[in-house]
Amino acid sequence: MTYCVGLLLDQGLVMASDSRTNAGVDHISSYSKLHLFLPAPDRYFVLLAAGNLATTREVVDRIRRDLDRAAVGAFDAPPENLATVNYLFEAGLYIGRVNRDVQLLHGPALREVGAAPEATFILGGRIGHEPPSLLLIYPQGNAIAATPETPYLQIGESKFGKTDLDRFAHPGLSLEDGARLCLVSLDSTARANLTVAPPFEVVLCPRDAMGPSQRLKLDARSPDLTALTESWEASQRQAFAALPAFAWEAPPA
Amino acid sequence: MTYCVGLLLDQGLVMASDSRTNAGVDHISSYSKLHLFLPAPDRYFVLLAAGNLATTREVVDRIRRDLDRAAVGAFDAPPENLATVNYLFEAGLYIGRVNRDVQLLHGPALREVGAAPEATFILGGRIGHEPPSLLLIYPQGNAIAATPETPYLQIGESKFGKTDLDRFAHPGLSLEDGARLCLVSLDSTARANLTVAPPFEVVLCPRDAMGPSQRLKLDARSPDLTALTESWEASQRQAFAALPAFAWEAPPA
């Protein structure tokens, strides 16, 4: 499994992912699920991936091939790629179509052995003068967007870390607070579920920038991550100790 | 959906449930999912129920009928009931069998319309001189038990409130702290999922007692519940505000 989360804030985008993949419980490995594309000076894209690892890998490879073939003027370059789309939602439709193509290619063989070909993506980025936006691209190729009312999107193992997001996510957060929130949500998830684990990757993309201002890869021993999780753990213990007594409890002596 | 949780502590049992049921999103109602049985002076049972509401209701009705028929010496009284079993695990097997019988009766008709007959239970209680114990009874009739290493059991919508339990649940908690932990876990779940909601029911069963010492039913406006959720909310905001800056952030002026 996987857990990825993106925040659409007034100040820009924050996107984060864990790095664990597993096929069953005895085939566990670490893969980056955060992919950065800078296909032209007027645009950038950050793609978070969850689902079948072979599908997500092939989708990323196809996206890069489409860009490369067009860049060298190859006769077989497809007409659309991340450098040609004019809006982020068109980038979402393009990635959704590539995802469908990969699933259609491998789905029949996978389903024969009871495996699922599906993959789900979170796409964040900017094109031209449009502000940054954030999409969740379903395996079927359609997509929803983050909005000021719903500033976060999650894919993968999303339930364990949702309470933190519901409590704190709002468009007024700074990018740094957004990054802390994503890490708290990732940490909550990794504690509860063996299939989600560090390194955690995080990008911060300021609203007016054409790409990330920070790209973090925090393994379990990185000082930034241990400082954050130790602070959170200590605060949680204080929060629990501070809970009020029930009306029927004897007052403390 | 539903969320129920039970804790096996050195001091005894704490068991808690929400009260929301739903069939789709437009048929939402409130039912107690916490059932207390006191069939003889040497025993008590607390049963928490999740799953198909008609199944859980019929299981509880059958358990009560089996006790009633035996109590009046009816010729059709079944040989086993909660008053005749000698160990809590036998009570679990008995309830598992009743659950299977109800599912076998209604399963074919339910599956015709795409509905699931399954129900899952948490059973806590004591018989005779045995210490309290806590079982999770699967729809298939088998069961697992809480232990000092795994002092909590959950059924229903269990992911949202698991992080709180993983952080705080240990056998040394007082019953009152256990009740607070269950309520925090229920509150986290109810915030994240519309199908879990107050009133929250909680029982505290001291190790040496033959039944609950406290039985709480806390609706959303009860002072005990609002005091707890407001304290938790305030502490969470402090915890978030106290998270340390990243190494690369400018120090506060």
Side-chain angles (χ1 to χ4, degrees), chain A residues 157 159-160 162-163 166-168 173 176-177 179-181 183-184 187-188 191-192 204 214 216 218 224 227-228 231-233 235-237 239-240 242-249, chain B residues 157 159-160 162-163 166-168 173 176-177 179-181 183-184 187-188 191-192 204 214 216 218 224 227-228 231-233 235-237 239-240 242-249:
Chain A
E157 192 58 83
K159 291 188 178 185
F160 300 109
K162 183 168 183 288
T163 307
D166 284 336
R167 205 181 296 274
F168 299 116
L173 287 182
E176 290 78 10
D177 277 341
R180 280 183 273 275
L181 175 54
L183 288 169
V184 163
D187 179 57
S188 293
R191 281 170 176 275
L204 287 73
Q214 291 285 345
L216 315 176
L218 304 173
D224 271 336
L228 182 132
S231 166
W232 189 250
E233 178 73 18
S235 292
Q236 294 303 315
R237 300 207 166 273
F240 190 68
L243 286 173
F246 294 107
W248 44 266
E249 276 183 273
Chain B
E157 191 60 81
K159 291 188 178 184
F160 299 109
K162 183 168 183 287
T163 307
D166 285 335
R167 204 180 296 275
F168 299 117
L173 287 181
E176 291 78 10
D177 277 340
R180 280 184 273 275
L181 174 55
L183 288 169
V184 163
D187 179 57
S188 294
R191 281 171 175 274
L204 287 73
Q214 291 284 345
L216 314 176
L218 304 173
D224 271 337
L228 181 133
S231 165
W232 190 250
E233 179 73 19
S235 292
Q236 293 303 315
R237 299 206 167 274
F240 190 67
L243 286 173
F246 294 106
W248 43 267
E249 277 184 273

Side-chain angles (χ1 to χ4, degrees), chain B residues 51-120:
Chain B
N52 184 300
L53 180 63
T55 299
T56 64
R57 197 227 79 240
E58 186 166 337
V59 167
V60 170
D61 278 347
R62 286 183 182 222
I63 292 170
R64 295 204 189 281
R65 180 184 63 184
D66 289 353
L67 284 168
D68 286 347
R69 300 304 283 169
V72 300
F75 73 94
D76 62 349
E80 192 173 41
N81 60 53
L82 288 185
T84 65
V85 293
N86 292 310
Y87 297 92
L88 199 85
F89 90 88
E90 290 179 350
L93 285 171
Y94 161 74
I95 292 172
R97 204 167 57 243
V98 173
N99 188 16
R100 289 279 293 162
D101 288 345
V102 174
Q103 293 174 56
L104 287 170
L105 177 60
H106 300 291
L110 285 169
R111 292 196 187 92
E112 273 179 25
V113 296
E118 281 81 9
T120 310

